[in-house]
């Protein structure tokens, strides 16, 4: 199953000029009859689960009440053992897998009742990557070596199967009994698909008949940990718009490629960590920027030659090509305002990895689920005229450090490691420059727009500045950490050892919880709570 990223919780609280420390309060604490070696949660459904190799429990998020507890051998007597569990929350289903070479069995149970819905040994080498829930059909698209099969979620009945679609469903678009699918080659099952090729297909959702098939540029994978898709697909005015490695446009009725501004080049800017079983780098190149009937696309065809290209969105006509963008290894930011296109050269990209390590003395194996934001150099800012593509200005001050950026009216808000800036979009000149030394949070690594403020995320905490003049309003010092997520007025910081602090962005104060080594935790989508699985105990903690 998708195991939650391990997070142990510990932090100090430092408001601006005020020192204090406060732990998260326990909302409820429930003891299970087994250890939670695997854990998962659904905030939409209001339930969470914890399981060992033999038992599973499902609890209600609100009060910690155990909805049900059962042994796997009782739930699914046809399984000799359970090697893996995968929660499909949207379908209200949990998959159980009994792995045997060439004789895999999988059982499907109702997550609300533990009732066995169906069991089969028909599908081999099926894992988390190869099962996609199609909500519109209330069915699973299951990929095996030989075929793609559509299966009714509650009964296991096959609706149809096709051998003409190879690989895993990376993205889909459903419309009026037709479904448009993109494939990708999954990391864990890649060796199964010999002769793999990129496919975008339109098929009849009722019987699996292929209406048309085309190839596409790029790889429509999902992120390693968070499982977010990295491709956007949309259908408008009889056209399929595919945003992946640029833009690709197809006729919806025939599949004919109408035009494309895409590159088939994988940006490799971060080294794979030692022991990484799965690894990916994301958001190293900004997505196409659509402004009315115009679309601005980064052309990244080679490692050393990059351009901005402006196209007419409807016809695909190339309107202009910018001068060379000098030796940029990553361009994670592209912004448009006041007939100006601004590029962020280098800076933070997103990396995700599943890292497996084995203790050489004990032989014990540990798995870490890591999401981090390394910086890619060279760095800088450049601006181009949106009418003709000519270069307007380039800032030299960000050669050593740069965060991300965001647009505020006709200004660009950005930071180096040591200062916060507001730049005039047209000229690149400073509206203000504010040193960050008084923030006492180390070098700035990221900025976040929040109300009428700028939240500066540093190496050791966060600070709050006014958007109009950059004045420091509050600051909260923590230990060496990086941003792990945000929601509403709450922002989470995590250390390399998975300690966590949840900040209130208005005051920059935060709460802590000191957790035992080996526990797992997850912050709720509304950032009000942290759920912790600690051996046989599950806790709900308040961040407020």
């Amino acid at each position: 199953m998708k195991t939650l990223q391990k997070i142990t919780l510990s932090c100090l609280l430092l408001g601006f000029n005020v020192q204090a420390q406060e732990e998260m309060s326990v909302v409820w604490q429930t003891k299970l009859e087994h250890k939670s070696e695997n854990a998962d949660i659904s905030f939409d459904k209001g339930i969470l689960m914890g399981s060992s190799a033999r038992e599973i429990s499902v609890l209600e998020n609100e009060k910690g009440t155990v909805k049900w507890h059962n042994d796997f051998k009782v739930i699914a007597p046809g399984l000799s053992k359970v090697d893996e569990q995968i929660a499909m929350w949207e379908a209200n289903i949990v998959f159980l897998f009994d792995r045997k070479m060439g004789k895999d069995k999988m059982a499907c149970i109702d997550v609300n009742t533990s009732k066995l819905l169906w069991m089969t040994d028909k599908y081999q080498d099926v894992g988390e990557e190869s099962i996609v829930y199609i909500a519109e059909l209330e069915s699973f698209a299951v990929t095996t070596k030989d075929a793609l099969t559509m299966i009714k979620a509650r009964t296991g009945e096959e609706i149809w199967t096709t051998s003409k679609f190879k690989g895993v469903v990376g993205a889909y678009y459903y419309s009026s009994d037709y479904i448009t699918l993109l494939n990708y080659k999954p990391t864990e099952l890649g060796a199964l698909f010999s002769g793999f090729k990129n496919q975008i297909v339109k098929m009849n959702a009722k019987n699996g008949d292929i209406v048309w098939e085309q190839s596409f540029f790029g790889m429509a994978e999902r992120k390693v940990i968070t499982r977010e898709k990295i491709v956007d697909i949309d259908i408008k005015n009889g056209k399929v718009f595919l945003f992946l490695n640029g833009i690709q446009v197809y006729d919806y009725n025939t599949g004919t490629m109408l035009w494309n501004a895409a590159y088939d080049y994988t940006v490799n800017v971060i080294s794979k960590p030692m022991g990484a079983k799965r690894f990916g780098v994301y958001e190293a190149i900004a997505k196409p920027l659509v402004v009315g009937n115009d679309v601005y696309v980064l052309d990244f065809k080679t490692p050393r030659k990059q351009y901005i290209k402006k196209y007419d969105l409807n016809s695909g006509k190339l309107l202009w090509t910018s001068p060379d963008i000098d030796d940029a290894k990553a361009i994670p930011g592209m912004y448009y305002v006041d007939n100006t296109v601004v590029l962020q050269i280098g800076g933070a990209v997103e990396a995700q990895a599943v890292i497996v390590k084995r203790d050489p003395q004990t032989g014990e194996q540990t798995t870490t689920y890591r999401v981090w934001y390394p910086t890619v150099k060279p760095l800088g800012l450049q601006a181009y005229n949106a009418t003709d593509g000519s270069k307007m200005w380039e800032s030299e001050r960000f050669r050593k450090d740069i965060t991300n950026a965001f647009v505020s009216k006709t200004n660009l808000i950005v930071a180096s490691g040591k200062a916060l800036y507001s730049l005039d979009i047209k000229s690149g000149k400073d509206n203000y420059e504010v040193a960050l030394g008084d923030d006492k949070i180390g070098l700035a690594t990221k900025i976040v727009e929040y109300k009428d403020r700028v939240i500066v995320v540093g190496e050791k905490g966060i600070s709050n500045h006014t958007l109009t003049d950059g004045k420091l309003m509050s600051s909260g010092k923590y230990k060496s950490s990086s941003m792990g997520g945000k929601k509403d007025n709450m922002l989470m910081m995590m250390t390399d050892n998975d300690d966590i602090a949840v900040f209130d962005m208005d005051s920059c104060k935060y709460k802590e919880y000191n957790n035992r080594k080996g526990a797992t935790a997850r912050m709720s989508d509304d950032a009000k709570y942290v759920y912790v699985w600690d051996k046989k105990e599950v806790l709900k903690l308040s961040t407020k």
Side-chain angles (χ1 to χ4, degrees):
M1 67 179 291
K2 180 162 59 178
T3 307
L4 292 178
Q5 186 171 354
K6 288 187 176 180
I7 304 172
T8 52
L9 312 174
S10 167
C11 54
L12 300 173
L13 176 61
L14 173 63
F16 183 50
N17 290 330
V18 179
Q19 292 194 15
Q21 182 173 325
E22 189 177 356
E23 292 187 352
M24 298 180 193
S25 58
V26 177
V27 179
W28 54 254
Q29 184 172 353
T30 301
K31 189 169 184 178
L32 305 180
E33 298 182 37
H34 56 85
K35 292 182 179 180
S36 290
E37 296 168 351
N38 300 295
D40 208 344
I41 189 168
S42 170
F43 300 112
D44 291 335
K45 301 293 183 180
I47 52 178
L48 61 86
M49 58 183 284
S51 65
S52 66
R54 296 181 179 181
E55 301 171 77
I56 181 172
S57 297
V58 171
L59 284 66
E60 295 178 351
N61 294 355
E62 184 177 358
K63 296 183 179 180
T65 306
V66 177
K67 283 176 67 71
W68 58 265
H69 158 262
N70 216 332
D71 292 351
F72 288 128
K73 64 182 180 181
V74 175
I75 298 173
L79 301 185
S80 60
K81 63 185 187 316
V82 173
D83 300 301
E84 184 179 5
Q85 307 106 50
I86 300 173
M88 294 285 183
W89 295 112
E90 190 177 5
N92 293 313
I93 277 171
V94 176
F95 280 93
L96 309 179
F97 290 89
D98 180 355
R99 304 291 191 190
K100 295 179 182 177
M101 188 65 67
K103 297 181 180 180
D104 289 356
K105 286 185 180 181
M106 67 179 185
C108 198
I109 68 173
D110 186 298
V111 75
N112 290 304
T113 65
S114 81
K115 178 184 176 182
L116 176 64
L117 299 175
W118 51 272
M119 184 186 305
T120 183
D121 59 1
K122 186 173 182 179
Y123 312 105
Q124 299 299 306
D125 299 309
V126 171
E128 182 179 356
E129 285 189 282
S130 50
I131 303 175
V132 176
Y133 183 61
I134 309 296
E136 293 84 351
L137 300 177
E138 296 183 344
S139 301
F140 294 112
V142 177
T143 297
T144 59
K145 175 182 178 182
D146 300 317
L148 173 72
T149 304
M150 196 67 69
I151 303 170
K152 288 186 178 180
R154 306 299 294 182
T155 66
E157 176 190 351
E158 286 191 6
I159 304 174
W160 51 258
T161 186
T162 179
S163 60
K164 295 181 179 180
F165 185 89
K166 295 288 187 181
V168 170
V169 176
Y172 77 90
Y173 190 100
Y174 180 88
S175 178
S176 302
D177 294 332
Y178 289 91
I179 188 167
T180 305
L181 305 173
L182 279 86
N183 71 342
Y184 79 96
K185 191 175 184 177
T187 306
E188 294 181 340
L189 303 175
L192 297 178
F193 302 106
S194 59
F196 176 88
K197 64 177 182 179
N198 284 350
Q199 290 177 286
I200 176 172
V201 303
K202 178 183 177 181
M203 63 174 59
N204 187 315
K206 291 183 177 180
N207 58 27
D209 288 348
I210 304 294
V211 178
W212 54 257
E213 175 187 350
Q214 267 286 7
S215 60
F216 65 90
F217 296 106
M219 182 176 172
E221 62 183 321
R222 291 176 180 265
K223 293 183 180 181
V224 167
I225 304 297
T226 60
R227 308 308 300 149
E228 302 163 86
K229 59 185 177 65
I230 64 170
V231 56
D232 291 324
I233 183 171
D234 196 11
I235 296 176
K236 289 183 178 178
N237 302 322
K239 298 176 183 177
V240 180
F241 293 89
L242 175 60
F243 295 92
L244 175 69
N245 285 32
I247 183 171
Q248 301 163 64
V249 184
Y250 305 84
D251 184 280
Y252 180 63
N253 293 316
T254 66
T256 303
M257 177 173 276
L258 301 177
W259 65 276
N260 81 82
Y263 54 90
D264 197 5
Y265 167 68
T266 301
V267 180
N268 185 15
V269 292
I270 300 296
S271 298
K272 184 177 181 179
M274 184 176 296
K277 181 181 178 183
R278 294 166 58 196
F279 171 66
V281 178
Y282 313 104
E283 300 177 19
I285 301 176
K287 292 181 179 179
L289 194 61
V290 178
V291 182
N293 289 322
D294 300 323
V295 57
Y296 301 87
V297 182
L298 287 169
D299 185 331
F300 236 87
K301 290 185 176 177
T302 71
R304 294 188 177 276
K305 285 189 177 293
Q306 298 88 36
Y307 312 89
I308 310 171
K309 292 187 175 182
K310 179 180 179 179
Y311 294 85
D312 181 276
L313 185 63
N314 294 316
S315 67
K317 179 182 178 181
L318 177 62
L319 302 177
W320 53 252
T321 300
S322 74
D324 288 4
I325 303 167
D326 298 332
D327 196 26
K329 293 182 180 178
I331 306 178
M334 180 163 60
Y335 316 93
Y336 175 92
V337 66
D338 198 15
N339 202 45
T340 305
V341 179
V342 180
L343 298 183
Q344 175 194 329
I345 310 299
V349 299
E350 182 179 353
Q352 299 189 10
V354 179
I355 303 171
V356 179
K357 295 182 179 180
R358 187 179 296 275
D359 189 304
Q361 296 180 337
T362 65
E364 182 180 352
Q365 181 175 291
T366 59
T367 301
T368 301
Y369 300 81
R370 187 182 177 200
V371 179
W372 73 107
Y373 300 89
T375 296
V376 176
K377 295 182 178 183
L379 309 170
L381 283 178
Q382 298 178 11
Y384 295 81
N385 188 309
T387 301
D388 59 13
S390 59
K391 194 172 185 178
M392 296 172 62
W393 56 265
E394 180 174 5
S395 177
E396 298 290 334
R397 63 161 48 91
F398 299 101
R399 291 296 186 184
K400 292 184 178 181
D401 294 290
I402 193 171
T403 63
N404 60 308
F406 63 82
V407 172
S408 176
K409 297 181 180 178
T410 58
N411 303 317
L412 188 75
I413 309 301
V414 63
S416 66
K418 297 181 178 181
L420 176 66
Y421 298 88
S422 171
L423 305 178
D424 177 74
I425 290 285
K426 287 292 188 184
S427 65
K429 293 181 179 178
D430 296 349
N431 296 310
Y432 62 73
E433 174 185 354
V434 175
L436 298 175
D438 290 341
D439 298 37
K440 301 187 185 304
I441 58 171
L443 296 176
T445 59
K446 187 177 180 66
I447 59 172
V448 175
E449 184 176 13
Y450 175 66
K451 297 180 180 177
D452 59 348
R453 303 293 173 87
V454 183
I455 303 300
V456 179
V457 179
E459 297 172 316
K460 297 182 178 182
I462 73 170
S463 58
N464 179 329
H465 291 252
T466 57
L467 186 59
T468 53
D469 59 11
K471 181 182 177 182
L472 175 62
M473 301 302 293
S474 59
S475 178
K477 187 178 181 181
Y478 184 50
K479 51 190 172 183
S480 296
S481 54
S482 59
M483 180 173 162
K486 68 179 180 67
K487 180 70 174 180
D488 296 331
N489 67 320
M490 307 300 287
L491 185 146
M492 181 171 65
M493 296 290 285
M494 295 175 58
T495 72
D496 287 343
N497 294 324
D498 297 326
D499 294 339
I500 186 172
V502 180
F503 285 80
D504 182 320
M505 289 190 284
D506 289 298
S507 64
C508 291
K509 296 179 179 180
Y510 62 86
K511 289 189 177 183
E512 68 164 343
Y513 181 79
N514 293 317
N515 205 9
R516 283 197 292 256
K517 183 178 180 180
T520 61
R522 171 79 178 269
M523 187 170 73
S524 63
D525 286 347
D526 61 9
K528 294 180 180 179
Y529 305 102
V530 171
Y531 294 84
V532 179
W533 291 256
D534 185 358
K535 295 184 178 179
K536 290 187 175 183
E537 291 184 333
V538 184
L539 300 88
K540 180 180 181 180
L541 311 169
S542 175
T543 63
K544 297 292 187 178

